[in-house]
Amino acid sequence: MAETRPGLVERVVLCLVAVLLTGFDLLVKLPCTVPAPMGTTRAELIGRTGCWSDVAALWNARDLGAHVLPYLNGTYTSDPPDLQGGAVEYPTLGGLWIWLTALPVDSARAYLVLTAVVAAVLAVVVTLLLVRLAGRRAWLFAATPPLALYAVYNWDLLPVLCTVLGVLAMTSPRLADRPVVRLVLAGLAFGTGAAFKLYPLMFVAPVVLAALLDRPRPLRTRVGHAAAALGAGVLVPVLANVPLALANPAGWLAPIRFQAERATGASTLSVWYWGLLPWSSSGDAGFQHRMTELSTAATALAVVGVLVATVVIALRRGTTPWLQSSAALLAAYIVCNKVDSLQYVLWLLPFFVLLRVGGWWVTSYLVVDLAANVGWFRTQYYGAIGQTATTWADQALAVGIWGRAALLVALVVVFLRSDSAVRGPASAPAPAPAPASAPGPAPAPA
């Protein structure tokens, strides 16, 4: 059954709530754009207020005020691993967006405000798209804590928007009889998202499987459709990377090398660091390398496992659960990756809207995510003021880290077994051609 679509007034309220939560996040983050008050260390300020954001931090750490074009400039230094000369640690479209939006401003505070304005617009657009796709379930995106905590924490609303646009392309009734257009547009959307943050590239795989496995189209047609989806999915990343890689290989490789050699520290909030203590905190380069190898191997195995399950389900049902598979891939990726940053919950939110996941699962995940946020910043505060004994914040952080991990593992299965909440079938097979009827006697009159 399709979700009820909100009326105009409710849609306006939804958008206003999204804007207000984004504005709230800006107010929380602003204290980190000015010097700490007299007698207060910066670490104490961040821990007490939770004002940290990658946006303001990168303004200073990557000297964004110099307005140096990344990838064509910048270098990587290995001891210690760091980026210099204008390089930023993001895929190319993300880095270019960071550089472009920094051009009109001249301070971290102004940059954070401008980023928040853009984030508010993105939040409204995503909200309206989710209303169109899943009706009132869009409240799960617009009115839950993640927007208030992470809307301007990083630039994650950009790939979130691309993800939702890809789903819209795949499920649009207007494109139901134009499968190639539908697949190409979805691939372009997911590929564009990958050029901002890598993770949406995973969603191309279930779309390709849907094009290849969903019947009753002839095999040759299905192979052609799958190739079109795959080609569209990699087109934007190729166009966004190849020219820069050719122009300055060292500058283009700098963020890739930085992420590959990035230490798995406490701030990554992943099970790899917290589950392998005390060895993970020793600073041993060899152990850090092994953790990177383990997390990479685990992520690859998890992705392959989800795709195999998707194929099995598709062959059994005759249709591919590409939307459910995309959500499961994301959950597996987050829990297995060597980094599980706080704002990654924004990546999951659209799938909580688009799939009929039980309210218990959604609420549980949002609660443990909030525990991770509060626990992390409060432990930083206690550490900054010299508190060495175990506190409630350590317990909250443990609940957040291990609660998120356990729920993500469970959600892989829950997502694959869930139904779509999209208005209209999310993966309907093409109608079978009518069989040719043999000539026969005219029907008898009634």
Side-chain angles (χ1 to χ4, degrees), residues 126-166:
V126 171
T127 297
L128 291 175
L129 291 175
L130 290 174
V131 167
R132 179 174 177 177
L133 286 165
R136 286 200 169 105
R137 291 182 65 88
W139 281 104
L140 289 173
F141 175 84
T144 48
L147 269 187
L149 296 172
Y150 311 117
V152 290
Y153 192 100
N154 200 285
W155 295 269
D156 292 85
L157 286 176
L158 289 165
V160 167
L161 172 60
C162 293
T163 297
V164 176
L165 285 173

Side-chain angles (χ1 to χ4, degrees), residues 58-59 61-75 83-89 92 94-105 111 244 248 251:
L58 258 67
W59 176 272
R62 303 297 176 232
D63 196 18
L64 298 181
H67 306 307
V68 176
L69 185 66
Y71 312 108
L72 295 181
N73 300 282
T75 57
L83 296 171
Q84 305 288 342
V88 292
E89 53 266 61
T92 50
L96 292 174
W97 178 272
I98 291 168
W99 166 78
L100 182 65
T101 52
L103 291 178
V105 296
Y111 188 48
L244 297 171
N248 183 19

